Amino acid sequence: MRIAIIGCGYVGTAAARYWREKLGWTVTATTTRPERLPELEAIADRALVVHSSDLQALTAAVQDQQAVLLSVGAPHFSAYEQTYLQSAKQLIAALKSAPTVRQLLYTGSYAVYGDRDGAWVDESSALKPANRNAEILTETEQVLRLGAGECDVCLLRLGGIYGPERDLLDIFGWAAGTTLPGDGSDYSNWIHLEDIVGALTFALEHRLAGVFNLVGDDPLTRRALLEHLFHLHNLDVPNWDGTVAALPRPYNARVSNAKLKATGYSLCRPHI
Ligand SMILES: NC(=O)c1ccc[n+]([C@@H]2O[C@H](COP(=O)([O-])OP(=O)(O)OC[C@H]3O[C@@H](n4cnc5c(N)ncnc54)[C@H](OP(=O)(O)O)[C@@H]3O)[C@@H](O)[C@H]2O)c1
């Protein structure tokens, strides 16, 4: 397998390592920052500086590949359009001169479902992005799905990512013993790095096409998540102040992973 990872950050690096070291695949990894090249050269066969606005560099990166993983991540909230939508459009343009590529994978987000008041959603649910950035992610999926021609497209809608060096305690530890607005009844869905690499590998090995949610088995309310986490680490659970309006809840849905499981993929870490 020859695979190019466009946007080799937290997820891309773990995938590159696994594919090259464990499976012997030939990996091309890209970054926008020349200073990251030595790091990527250590885990990939080919490391390239590619900003997706540079169509020539992007086309060179995907040349002669069998598969491409688009795993770009926005450096800040105001960069979604350039990072996701423009990258998708440019990649579709680049693939037009890369006929060897037969599968395109994308690590998207379950943010496209929006605030469903905690209801269950699956891949057949209507998309109701709750803000402009989630709309951009929705448009990004469309661009990839509709533009890739003969190439199989596998869109994965990830939960919040956790794993080594991105521990849930690093993300939420600040809340121990504090008072938070609302009642914490909004749901969130999470996925461990190991399962992101696992599911991407499975999708490549089984040539999956279509949309798949990639989340753990148990959506947890924010309250249940923090209580579980803080009990585990002997920290004070937060208090909830129901008299103060809760913050917007753009991810408040329980996301089903049944479709991915039905393909035969078995989660390594189904529970937080
Ligand atoms: N974080 C979460 O909880 C979460 C939840 C759901 C979905 N996701 C999605 O999962 C994916 C992977 O996340 P991650 O944590 O691995 O992201 P990350 O560590 O931030 O890595 C993102 C990569 O994208 C590259 N990049 C950014 N803008 C680019 C552009 N315009 N052109 C080319 N490359 C560009 C970055 O380049 P540099 O190497 O120069 O930095 C970096 O290599 C992302 O698509 C993210 O949206 C994340």
Side-chain angles (χ1 to χ4, degrees):
M1 170 71 84
R2 292 186 306 281
I3 182 161
I5 302 172
I6 307 302
C8 195
Y10 184 69
V11 167
T13 297
R17 263 209 190 98
Y18 183 78
W19 292 339
R20 189 170 182 237
E21 285 173 16
K22 299 276 190 253
L23 304 182
W25 293 357
T26 302
V27 177
T28 293
T30 79
T31 174
T32 64
R33 293 176 281 158
E35 66 270 23
R36 287 199 63 224
L37 282 178
E39 182 194 331
L40 296 189
E41 277 159 3
I43 55 151
D45 300 275
R46 192 167 64 132
L48 302 171
V49 174
V50 177
H51 192 282
S52 59
S53 58
D54 181 348
L55 184 57
Q56 211 179 345
L58 195 56
T59 305
V62 299
Q63 214 47 235
D64 297 324
Q65 302 301 303
Q66 292 166 295
V68 173
L69 166 62
L70 179 63
S71 196
V72 289
H76 44 82
F77 284 118
S78 58
Y80 267 52
E81 180 138 6
Q82 191 195 41
T83 307
Y84 294 100
L85 194 52
Q86 296 309 328
S87 295
K89 288 179 179 168
Q90 290 280 86
L91 181 56
I92 291 300
L95 289 178
K96 299 224 182 308
S97 28
T100 54
V101 177
R102 55 174 204 218
Q103 193 180 14
L104 167 61
L105 297 103
Y106 164 66
T107 49
S109 164
Y110 85 91
V112 294
Y113 293 116
D115 181 357
R116 309 305 275 261
D117 212 13
W120 279 97
V121 290
D122 63 22
E123 292 81 350
S124 68
S125 303
L127 302 184
K128 295 186 179 173
N131 52 44
R132 179 59 195 143
N133 279 345
E135 279 172 14
I136 290 169
L137 295 179
T138 308
E139 291 165 28
T140 301
E141 285 192 359
Q142 268 167 6
V143 166
L144 296 171
R145 204 159 39 82
L146 301 176
E150 298 296 294
C151 180
D152 287 335
V153 179
C154 181
L155 306 176
L156 295 163
R157 293 181 181 149
L158 275 57
I161 299 173
Y162 69 105
E165 290 164 52
R166 213 182 263 188
D167 197 86
L168 285 170
L169 201 58
D170 298 335
I171 302 171
F172 292 116
W174 62 270
T178 61
T179 298
L180 299 171
D183 60 4
S185 63
D186 53 313
Y187 280 89
S188 60
N189 301 264
W190 295 88
I191 188 70
H192 193 280
L193 180 64
E194 202 178 323
D195 272 311
I196 304 176
V197 176
L200 286 168
T201 306
F202 186 90
L204 285 157
E205 288 177 337
H206 295 80
R207 192 95 177 254
L208 293 189
V211 181
F212 297 91
N213 296 328
L214 179 51
V215 295
D217 277 358
D218 318 307
L220 290 174
T221 62
R222 206 148 43 96
R223 185 178 193 135
L225 171 68
L226 295 184
E227 287 181 357
H228 168 75
L229 189 65
F230 294 163
H231 280 140
L232 214 61
H233 294 276
N234 282 323
L235 293 168
D236 292 335
V237 298
N239 300 305
W240 297 93
D241 185 351
T243 64
V244 180
L247 300 169
R249 316 197 296 187
Y251 308 105
N252 185 17
R254 279 180 281 175
V255 178
S256 164
N257 59 16
K259 185 180 174 193
L260 180 63
K261 282 181 163 179
T263 66
Y265 180 68
S266 175
L267 289 162
C268 323
R269 292 172 181 261
H271 311 290
I272 281 175

